[in-house]
Amino acid sequence: MKKTIYLDNNATTKVDPMAVEAMLPLFSQQFGNPSSIHSFGDQVGAKLKVARRKVADLIGALHESEVIFTSCATESTTTAIYSALKVHADRKEVITTTVEHPATLDLCEHLEREGYTIHRLKVNKKGQLDLQEYSSLLSDKVALVTVMWANNETGTLFPILEMAKLAKEKGVMFHTDAVQAVGKIPLDVQDSGIDMLSFSGHKLHAPKGIGALYVRRGVRYRPLLRGGHQERGRRAGTENSASIVAFGMAAEQAELHLETMAGKIKILRDKLEKGILEQVPHAFVTGDPDNRVANTCNIAFEYVEGEAILMLLNQQGVAASSGSACTSGSLEPSHVMQAMQIPFTAAHGTIRFSLSRYTTEKEIDKVIAVVPAIIERLRAFSPYWKDGKPLDIEAFEPAVA
Ligand code: PLP
């Protein structure tokens, strides 16, 4: 079988072999319930404590008790939002953005149907927010600001520290979905004004099914899952001990590799981008090229369909993505591309390449070599393309509308 080049690390990552090794004993000898008061329980409890410290270190949390383990980032974000709404039962407004992950967007839509006012901050063509608009919305009617740190499709970073500071000044609780930022940029939540932060193990080389919610000490909090006293009563249910231990190891490794992200991975990502754009006309990078995580590159190929590109890439042994994993499968351009007002002839042909520390230069060279021919082949069938150049799109608009 042809070796596949995996460039879909924003969807999920390969588990670090050291994380696999760390978790294995918890399926055999160390199977105790960490809540049990005997040696089996103690043994696992001690391992969870170490893992919690490592995960806390990755985001710069002072106290390890500020980390609550969950099943995934979706659960963390849901918990954070409901917690804020319960704590501030008299406040009926939430501020978020138009480009959040569905974990936030769908819940906010649901809340809107229940009578909450949701303010969705718009982005400009580069995916950037207007901080003045944001500041003008902060008031004592707002229960929570929930804004992602890095966008999963484009990698664009939002000015979270500045936004958290502004929220704090107005006495508004601040949560960030940092799923695509943790392990990619150095984070230090301490003294940041961030009250809650969600992240997920499987985006940083831990297994799937383990997430975390940081809740700053002193922040008022209400659990989503009630029952047992696990996680100091803040998230009931027997801990996923093996995955937590693996998460701890993955977090430690992610911290050690932060420089790899800023160095090797960025160099490879830039090489990929340059290599493609030099050879393929009518293609451009979406989002903010100067302010994004180092592993992500989202290219819009005009006049072709993203799904078709993905299929041909897959035939060449290259795994990438068109939009987020959760929304791919739909033929609508992603909500992120729509929010950035990418023209429809380009928004349909966006491909996200997301690298990891396991990506090699040889792989990048191979992708640079196959992409131009794929785009040329597809453009030959495109109704918008003739004789090596785009047709006059204006003529098509009424028919497409
Ligand atoms: N938020 C962002 C920005 C994501 O990229 C993802 C996953 O793609 C999630 C939330 C959801 O994470 P999980 O799969 O751990 O629930």
Side-chain angles (χ1 to χ4, degrees), residues 251-291:
E252 185 176 68
Q253 290 305 310
E255 202 172 356
L256 290 173
H257 281 97
L258 277 174
E259 281 179 18
T260 317
M261 191 52 85
K264 176 196 141 182
I265 298 177
K266 184 176 182 305
I267 290 168
L268 290 183
R269 191 272 315 268
D270 291 348
K271 180 174 186 183
L272 173 70
E273 212 165 78
K274 193 162 171 272
I276 291 176
L277 295 180
E278 273 175 1
Q279 298 182 78
V280 181
H282 298 282
F284 59 92
V285 172
T286 72
D288 184 352
D290 304 319
N291 187 27

mmCIF file of all heavy atoms in Angstrom, residues 251-291:
data_model
loop_
_atom_site.group_PDB
_atom_site.id
_atom_site.type_symbol
_atom_site.label_atom_id
_atom_site.label_comp_id
_atom_site.label_asym_id
_atom_site.label_seq_id
_atom_site.Cartn_x
_atom_site.Cartn_y
_atom_site.Cartn_z
ATOM 1 N N ALA A 251 1.208 16.343 26.654
ATOM 2 C CA ALA A 251 1.338 17.765 26.991
ATOM 3 C C ALA A 251 2.805 18.097 27.258
ATOM 4 O O ALA A 251 3.324 19.123 26.809
ATOM 5 C CB ALA A 251 0.483 18.093 28.214
ATOM 6 N N GLU A 252 3.470 17.196 27.979
ATOM 7 C CA GLU A 252 4.892 17.426 28.272
ATOM 8 C C GLU A 252 5.691 17.499 26.974
ATOM 9 O O GLU A 252 6.524 18.389 26.767
ATOM 10 C CB GLU A 252 5.415 16.282 29.151
ATOM 11 C CG GLU A 252 6.827 16.475 29.624
ATOM 12 C CD GLU A 252 7.239 15.345 30.569
ATOM 13 O OE1 GLU A 252 7.359 14.191 30.104
ATOM 14 O OE2 GLU A 252 7.439 15.615 31.761
ATOM 15 N N GLN A 253 5.397 16.562 26.074
ATOM 16 C CA GLN A 253 6.110 16.536 24.790
ATOM 17 C C GLN A 253 5.766 17.764 23.947
ATOM 18 O O GLN A 253 6.619 18.324 23.268
ATOM 19 C CB GLN A 253 5.762 15.250 24.016
ATOM 20 C CG GLN A 253 6.339 13.993 24.637
ATOM 21 C CD GLN A 253 7.858 14.095 24.810
ATOM 22 O OE1 GLN A 253 8.586 14.449 23.888
ATOM 23 N NE2 GLN A 253 8.339 13.812 26.007
ATOM 24 N N ALA A 254 4.500 18.167 23.990
ATOM 25 C CA ALA A 254 4.086 19.338 23.200
ATOM 26 C C ALA A 254 4.859 20.572 23.667
ATOM 27 O O ALA A 254 5.303 21.390 22.857
ATOM 28 C CB ALA A 254 2.582 19.559 23.332
ATOM 29 N N GLU A 255 5.022 20.678 24.987
ATOM 30 C CA GLU A 255 5.751 21.831 25.509
ATOM 31 C C GLU A 255 7.212 21.795 25.044
ATOM 32 O O GLU A 255 7.765 22.809 24.608
ATOM 33 C CB GLU A 255 5.669 21.846 27.039
ATOM 34 C CG GLU A 255 5.928 23.220 27.563
ATOM 35 C CD GLU A 255 5.669 23.369 29.062
ATOM 36 O OE1 GLU A 255 5.210 22.410 29.703
ATOM 37 O OE2 GLU A 255 5.948 24.459 29.571
ATOM 38 N N LEU A 256 7.788 20.598 25.077
ATOM 39 C CA LEU A 256 9.182 20.467 24.636
ATOM 40 C C LEU A 256 9.326 20.791 23.150
ATOM 41 O O LEU A 256 10.385 21.203 22.695
ATOM 42 C CB LEU A 256 9.683 19.027 24.890
ATOM 43 C CG LEU A 256 9.877 18.639 26.349
ATOM 44 C CD1 LEU A 256 10.200 17.153 26.478
ATOM 45 C CD2 LEU A 256 11.006 19.472 26.962
ATOM 46 N N HIS A 257 8.243 20.571 22.392
ATOM 47 C CA HIS A 257 8.315 20.775 20.936
ATOM 48 C C HIS A 257 7.774 22.128 20.475
ATOM 49 O O HIS A 257 7.607 22.331 19.273
ATOM 50 C CB HIS A 257 7.557 19.648 20.212
ATOM 51 C CG HIS A 257 8.358 18.385 20.132
ATOM 52 N ND1 HIS A 257 8.210 17.358 21.018
ATOM 53 C CD2 HIS A 257 9.335 18.003 19.282
ATOM 54 C CE1 HIS A 257 9.055 16.389 20.717
ATOM 55 N NE2 HIS A 257 9.749 16.755 19.661
ATOM 56 N N LEU A 258 7.496 23.020 21.398
ATOM 57 C CA LEU A 258 6.959 24.330 20.974
ATOM 58 C C LEU A 258 7.918 25.032 20.007
ATOM 59 O O LEU A 258 7.505 25.697 19.064
ATOM 60 C CB LEU A 258 6.691 25.226 22.190
ATOM 61 C CG LEU A 258 5.347 24.983 22.888
ATOM 62 C CD1 LEU A 258 5.247 25.814 24.155
ATOM 63 C CD2 LEU A 258 4.173 25.286 21.960
ATOM 64 N N GLU A 259 9.212 24.827 20.245
ATOM 65 C CA GLU A 259 10.191 25.459 19.339
ATOM 66 C C GLU A 259 10.182 24.809 17.967
ATOM 67 O O GLU A 259 10.435 25.453 16.956
ATOM 68 C CB GLU A 259 11.588 25.389 19.933
ATOM 69 C CG GLU A 259 11.791 26.451 20.991
ATOM 70 C CD GLU A 259 13.160 26.401 21.636
ATOM 71 O OE1 GLU A 259 14.084 25.777 21.071
ATOM 72 O OE2 GLU A 259 13.292 26.978 22.718
ATOM 73 N N THR A 260 9.863 23.499 17.944
ATOM 74 C CA THR A 260 9.768 22.797 16.649
ATOM 75 C C THR A 260 8.645 23.414 15.843
ATOM 76 O O THR A 260 8.731 23.573 14.632
ATOM 77 C CB THR A 260 9.431 21.293 16.867
ATOM 78 O OG1 THR A 260 10.210 20.804 17.935
ATOM 79 C CG2 THR A 260 9.633 20.482 15.619
ATOM 80 N N MET A 261 7.576 23.764 16.542
ATOM 81 C CA MET A 261 6.413 24.361 15.880
ATOM 82 C C MET A 261 6.829 25.694 15.251
ATOM 83 O O MET A 261 6.544 25.961 14.090
ATOM 84 C CB MET A 261 5.332 24.543 16.946
ATOM 85 C CG MET A 261 3.976 24.895 16.496
ATOM 86 S SD MET A 261 3.194 23.897 15.231
ATOM 87 C CE MET A 261 2.463 22.547 16.101
ATOM 88 N N ALA A 262 7.511 26.519 16.040
ATOM 89 C CA ALA A 262 7.899 27.844 15.529
ATOM 90 C C ALA A 262 9.038 27.732 14.517
ATOM 91 O O ALA A 262 9.240 28.634 13.706
ATOM 92 C CB ALA A 262 8.316 28.732 16.694
ATOM 93 N N GLY A 263 9.780 26.635 14.549
ATOM 94 C CA GLY A 263 10.925 26.477 13.653
ATOM 95 C C GLY A 263 10.628 25.560 12.487
ATOM 96 O O GLY A 263 10.102 25.983 11.460
ATOM 97 N N LYS A 264 10.900 24.266 12.679
ATOM 98 C CA LYS A 264 10.795 23.296 11.573
ATOM 99 C C LYS A 264 9.416 23.286 10.915
ATOM 100 O O LYS A 264 9.293 23.327 9.693
ATOM 101 C CB LYS A 264 11.136 21.898 12.118
ATOM 102 C CG LYS A 264 10.956 20.805 11.088
ATOM 103 C CD LYS A 264 10.908 19.403 11.710
ATOM 104 C CE LYS A 264 9.877 18.567 10.988
ATOM 105 N NZ LYS A 264 9.690 17.224 11.488
ATOM 106 N N ILE A 265 8.380 23.246 11.734
ATOM 107 C CA ILE A 265 7.031 23.116 11.158
ATOM 108 C C ILE A 265 6.672 24.356 10.341
ATOM 109 O O ILE A 265 6.119 24.263 9.247
ATOM 110 C CB ILE A 265 5.989 22.835 12.266
ATOM 111 C CG1 ILE A 265 6.315 21.501 12.945
ATOM 112 C CG2 ILE A 265 4.571 22.821 11.702
ATOM 113 C CD1 ILE A 265 5.442 21.123 14.092
ATOM 114 N N LYS A 266 7.030 25.513 10.873
ATOM 115 C CA LYS A 266 6.734 26.761 10.141
ATOM 116 C C LYS A 266 7.500 26.792 8.814
ATOM 117 O O LYS A 266 6.952 27.161 7.775
ATOM 118 C CB LYS A 266 7.090 27.975 11.009
ATOM 119 C CG LYS A 266 6.728 29.272 10.341
ATOM 120 C CD LYS A 266 6.978 30.469 11.238
ATOM 121 C CE LYS A 266 6.577 31.767 10.574
ATOM 122 N NZ LYS A 266 7.197 32.011 9.283
ATOM 123 N N ILE A 267 8.747 26.369 8.854
ATOM 124 C CA ILE A 267 9.562 26.367 7.623
ATOM 125 C C ILE A 267 8.913 25.450 6.575
ATOM 126 O O ILE A 267 8.768 25.811 5.409
ATOM 127 C CB ILE A 267 11.018 25.920 7.940
ATOM 128 C CG1 ILE A 267 11.713 27.031 8.746
ATOM 129 C CG2 ILE A 267 11.795 25.614 6.667
ATOM 130 C CD1 ILE A 267 13.035 26.635 9.366
ATOM 131 N N LEU A 268 8.467 24.262 7.026
ATOM 132 C CA LEU A 268 7.838 23.317 6.092
ATOM 133 C C LEU A 268 6.505 23.867 5.568
ATOM 134 O O LEU A 268 6.199 23.759 4.379
ATOM 135 C CB LEU A 268 7.614 21.960 6.768
ATOM 136 C CG LEU A 268 8.867 21.137 7.060
ATOM 137 C CD1 LEU A 268 8.491 19.789 7.661
ATOM 138 C CD2 LEU A 268 9.700 20.931 5.796
ATOM 139 N N ARG A 269 5.726 24.455 6.470
ATOM 140 C CA ARG A 269 4.425 25.028 6.047
ATOM 141 C C ARG A 269 4.659 26.129 5.001
ATOM 142 O O ARG A 269 3.985 26.174 3.960
ATOM 143 C CB ARG A 269 3.709 25.579 7.280
ATOM 144 C CG ARG A 269 2.245 25.975 7.102
ATOM 145 C CD ARG A 269 1.995 27.404 6.628
ATOM 146 N NE ARG A 269 2.768 28.435 7.282
ATOM 147 C CZ ARG A 269 2.383 29.133 8.360
ATOM 148 N NH1 ARG A 269 1.222 28.891 8.905
ATOM 149 N NH2 ARG A 269 3.158 30.087 8.873
ATOM 150 N N ASP A 270 5.640 26.994 5.268
ATOM 151 C CA ASP A 270 5.906 28.093 4.335
ATOM 152 C C ASP A 270 6.418 27.557 2.997
ATOM 153 O O ASP A 270 6.083 28.080 1.930
ATOM 154 C CB ASP A 270 6.906 29.089 4.949
ATOM 155 C CG ASP A 270 6.285 29.857 6.115
ATOM 156 O OD1 ASP A 270 5.052 29.779 6.292
ATOM 157 O OD2 ASP A 270 7.029 30.519 6.858
ATOM 158 N N LYS A 271 7.213 26.501 3.066
ATOM 159 C CA LYS A 271 7.726 25.896 1.829
ATOM 160 C C LYS A 271 6.560 25.332 1.002
ATOM 161 O O LYS A 271 6.495 25.530 -0.214
ATOM 162 C CB LYS A 271 8.722 24.775 2.175
ATOM 163 C CG LYS A 271 9.282 24.100 0.945
ATOM 164 C CD LYS A 271 10.374 23.097 1.247
ATOM 165 C CE LYS A 271 10.940 22.606 -0.099
ATOM 166 N NZ LYS A 271 11.951 21.582 0.030
ATOM 167 N N LEU A 272 5.658 24.664 1.691
ATOM 168 C CA LEU A 272 4.491 24.077 1.012
ATOM 169 C C LEU A 272 3.676 25.167 0.312
ATOM 170 O O LEU A 272 3.322 25.060 -0.866
ATOM 171 C CB LEU A 272 3.629 23.339 2.047
ATOM 172 C CG LEU A 272 2.287 22.806 1.562
ATOM 173 C CD1 LEU A 272 2.496 21.644 0.608
ATOM 174 C CD2 LEU A 272 1.416 22.347 2.730
ATOM 175 N N GLU A 273 3.418 26.207 1.072
ATOM 176 C CA GLU A 273 2.586 27.302 0.564
ATOM 177 C C GLU A 273 3.237 27.964 -0.656
ATOM 178 O O GLU A 273 2.608 28.144 -1.694
ATOM 179 C CB GLU A 273 2.458 28.324 1.690
ATOM 180 C CG GLU A 273 1.172 29.061 1.713
ATOM 181 C CD GLU A 273 1.020 29.737 3.056
ATOM 182 O OE1 GLU A 273 1.639 30.785 3.289
ATOM 183 O OE2 GLU A 273 0.279 29.193 3.887
ATOM 184 N N LYS A 274 4.512 28.286 -0.501
ATOM 185 C CA LYS A 274 5.241 28.961 -1.585
ATOM 186 C C LYS A 274 5.301 28.042 -2.808
ATOM 187 O O LYS A 274 5.018 28.462 -3.936
ATOM 188 C CB LYS A 274 6.656 29.285 -1.076
ATOM 189 C CG LYS A 274 7.437 30.228 -1.932
ATOM 190 C CD LYS A 274 8.607 30.817 -1.106
ATOM 191 C CE LYS A 274 9.541 31.604 -2.010
ATOM 192 N NZ LYS A 274 10.602 30.809 -2.637
ATOM 193 N N GLY A 275 5.614 26.777 -2.545
ATOM 194 C CA GLY A 275 5.750 25.812 -3.640
ATOM 195 C C GLY A 275 4.475 25.685 -4.438
ATOM 196 O O GLY A 275 4.497 25.586 -5.678
ATOM 197 N N ILE A 276 3.346 25.706 -3.760
ATOM 198 C CA ILE A 276 2.062 25.575 -4.462
ATOM 199 C C ILE A 276 1.724 26.882 -5.179
ATOM 200 O O ILE A 276 1.406 26.893 -6.373
ATOM 201 C CB ILE A 276 0.940 25.176 -3.471
ATOM 202 C CG1 ILE A 276 1.166 23.744 -2.971
ATOM 203 C CG2 ILE A 276 -0.428 25.307 -4.136
ATOM 204 C CD1 ILE A 276 0.182 23.266 -1.917
ATOM 205 N N LEU A 277 1.823 27.987 -4.465
ATOM 206 C CA LEU A 277 1.390 29.269 -5.044
ATOM 207 C C LEU A 277 2.261 29.691 -6.235
ATOM 208 O O LEU A 277 1.780 30.342 -7.156
ATOM 209 C CB LEU A 277 1.358 30.365 -3.977
ATOM 210 C CG LEU A 277 0.315 30.150 -2.872
ATOM 211 C CD1 LEU A 277 0.354 31.278 -1.862
ATOM 212 C CD2 LEU A 277 -1.092 29.997 -3.430
ATOM 213 N N GLU A 278 3.528 29.280 -6.213
ATOM 214 C CA GLU A 278 4.402 29.623 -7.350
ATOM 215 C C GLU A 278 3.990 28.898 -8.623
ATOM 216 O O GLU A 278 4.198 29.385 -9.721
ATOM 217 C CB GLU A 278 5.859 29.248 -7.017
ATOM 218 C CG GLU A 278 6.590 30.367 -6.293
ATOM 219 C CD GLU A 278 7.988 29.966 -5.843
ATOM 220 O OE1 GLU A 278 8.418 28.814 -6.100
ATOM 221 O OE2 GLU A 278 8.632 30.800 -5.187
ATOM 222 N N GLN A 279 3.391 27.732 -8.445
ATOM 223 C CA GLN A 279 3.065 26.928 -9.628
ATOM 224 C C GLN A 279 1.613 27.012 -10.052
ATOM 225 O O GLN A 279 1.270 26.708 -11.197
ATOM 226 C CB GLN A 279 3.370 25.460 -9.341
ATOM 227 C CG GLN A 279 4.824 25.166 -9.052
ATOM 228 C CD GLN A 279 4.997 23.680 -8.829
ATOM 229 O OE1 GLN A 279 5.029 22.916 -9.772
ATOM 230 N NE2 GLN A 279 5.050 23.282 -7.577
ATOM 231 N N VAL A 280 0.733 27.349 -9.092
ATOM 232 C CA VAL A 280 -0.699 27.328 -9.419
ATOM 233 C C VAL A 280 -1.228 28.764 -9.502
ATOM 234 O O VAL A 280 -1.263 29.472 -8.484
ATOM 235 C CB VAL A 280 -1.495 26.536 -8.345
ATOM 236 C CG1 VAL A 280 -2.979 26.487 -8.702
ATOM 237 C CG2 VAL A 280 -0.937 25.146 -8.161
ATOM 238 N N PRO A 281 -1.672 29.200 -10.688
ATOM 239 C CA PRO A 281 -2.251 30.542 -10.768
ATOM 240 C C PRO A 281 -3.645 30.548 -10.147
ATOM 241 O O PRO A 281 -4.243 29.481 -9.944
ATOM 242 C CB PRO A 281 -2.336 30.801 -12.284
ATOM 243 C CG PRO A 281 -2.401 29.438 -12.896
ATOM 244 C CD PRO A 281 -1.693 28.493 -11.975
ATOM 245 N N HIS A 282 -4.167 31.708 -9.844
ATOM 246 C CA HIS A 282 -5.510 31.848 -9.289
ATOM 247 C C HIS A 282 -5.691 31.009 -8.013
ATOM 248 O O HIS A 282 -6.640 30.233 -7.873
ATOM 249 C CB HIS A 282 -6.585 31.497 -10.329
ATOM 250 C CG HIS A 282 -6.553 32.409 -11.504
ATOM 251 N ND1 HIS A 282 -7.086 33.675 -11.477
ATOM 252 C CD2 HIS A 282 -5.999 32.253 -12.728
ATOM 253 C CE1 HIS A 282 -6.866 34.267 -12.646
ATOM 254 N NE2 HIS A 282 -6.213 33.437 -13.426
ATOM 255 N N ALA A 283 -4.740 31.136 -7.127
ATOM 256 C CA ALA A 283 -4.824 30.483 -5.809
ATOM 257 C C ALA A 283 -4.277 31.477 -4.788
ATOM 258 O O ALA A 283 -3.378 32.254 -5.100
ATOM 259 C CB ALA A 283 -4.005 29.209 -5.797
ATOM 260 N N PHE A 284 -4.844 31.472 -3.593
ATOM 261 C CA PHE A 284 -4.353 32.394 -2.560
ATOM 262 C C PHE A 284 -4.581 31.813 -1.165
ATOM 263 O O PHE A 284 -5.408 30.915 -0.984
ATOM 264 C CB PHE A 284 -5.028 33.773 -2.690
ATOM 265 C CG PHE A 284 -6.539 33.740 -2.576
ATOM 266 C CD1 PHE A 284 -7.165 33.910 -1.348
ATOM 267 C CD2 PHE A 284 -7.331 33.539 -3.713
ATOM 268 C CE1 PHE A 284 -8.554 33.879 -1.242
ATOM 269 C CE2 PHE A 284 -8.724 33.508 -3.616
ATOM 270 C CZ PHE A 284 -9.331 33.678 -2.383
ATOM 271 N N VAL A 285 -3.813 32.354 -0.213
ATOM 272 C CA VAL A 285 -3.931 31.892 1.180
ATOM 273 C C VAL A 285 -5.096 32.619 1.828
ATOM 274 O O VAL A 285 -5.232 33.839 1.686
ATOM 275 C CB VAL A 285 -2.619 32.205 1.942
ATOM 276 C CG1 VAL A 285 -2.777 31.926 3.435
ATOM 277 C CG2 VAL A 285 -1.485 31.387 1.369
ATOM 278 N N THR A 286 -5.942 31.902 2.553
ATOM 279 C CA THR A 286 -7.046 32.549 3.272
ATOM 280 C C THR A 286 -6.629 32.815 4.718
ATOM 281 O O THR A 286 -5.726 32.166 5.237
ATOM 282 C CB THR A 286 -8.325 31.687 3.264
ATOM 283 O OG1 THR A 286 -8.097 30.578 4.125
ATOM 284 C CG2 THR A 286 -8.690 31.203 1.871
ATOM 285 N N GLY A 287 -7.319 33.748 5.342
ATOM 286 C CA GLY A 287 -7.006 34.100 6.732
ATOM 287 C C GLY A 287 -5.909 35.145 6.780
ATOM 288 O O GLY A 287 -5.640 35.829 5.789
ATOM 289 N N ASP A 288 -5.288 35.261 7.939
ATOM 290 C CA ASP A 288 -4.262 36.275 8.146
ATOM 291 C C ASP A 288 -2.882 35.621 8.075
ATOM 292 O O ASP A 288 -2.433 34.999 9.033
ATOM 293 C CB ASP A 288 -4.480 36.918 9.533
ATOM 294 C CG ASP A 288 -3.518 38.052 9.784
ATOM 295 O OD1 ASP A 288 -2.593 38.242 8.971
ATOM 296 O OD2 ASP A 288 -3.695 38.753 10.790
ATOM 297 N N PRO A 289 -2.190 35.751 6.939
ATOM 298 C CA PRO A 289 -0.910 35.036 6.780
ATOM 299 C C PRO A 289 0.151 35.451 7.790
ATOM 300 O O PRO A 289 1.072 34.691 8.082
ATOM 301 C CB PRO A 289 -0.469 35.379 5.352
ATOM 302 C CG PRO A 289 -1.365 36.424 4.842
ATOM 303 C CD PRO A 289 -2.523 36.600 5.782
ATOM 304 N N ASP A 290 0.015 36.658 8.349
ATOM 305 C CA ASP A 290 1.056 37.139 9.271
ATOM 306 C C ASP A 290 0.750 36.839 10.729
ATOM 307 O O ASP A 290 1.550 37.154 11.614
ATOM 308 C CB ASP A 290 1.220 38.663 9.116
ATOM 309 C CG ASP A 290 1.532 39.020 7.678
ATOM 310 O OD1 ASP A 290 2.327 38.286 7.068
ATOM 311 O OD2 ASP A 290 0.945 39.999 7.169
ATOM 312 N N ASN A 291 -0.425 36.309 10.991
ATOM 313 C CA ASN A 291 -0.809 36.108 12.385
ATOM 314 C C ASN A 291 -1.625 34.821 12.513
ATOM 315 O O ASN A 291 -2.839 34.839 12.624
ATOM 316 C CB ASN A 291 -1.631 37.323 12.847
ATOM 317 C CG ASN A 291 -1.920 37.281 14.321
ATOM 318 O OD1 ASN A 291 -1.175 36.691 15.101
ATOM 319 N ND2 ASN A 291 -3.036 37.866 14.709
#
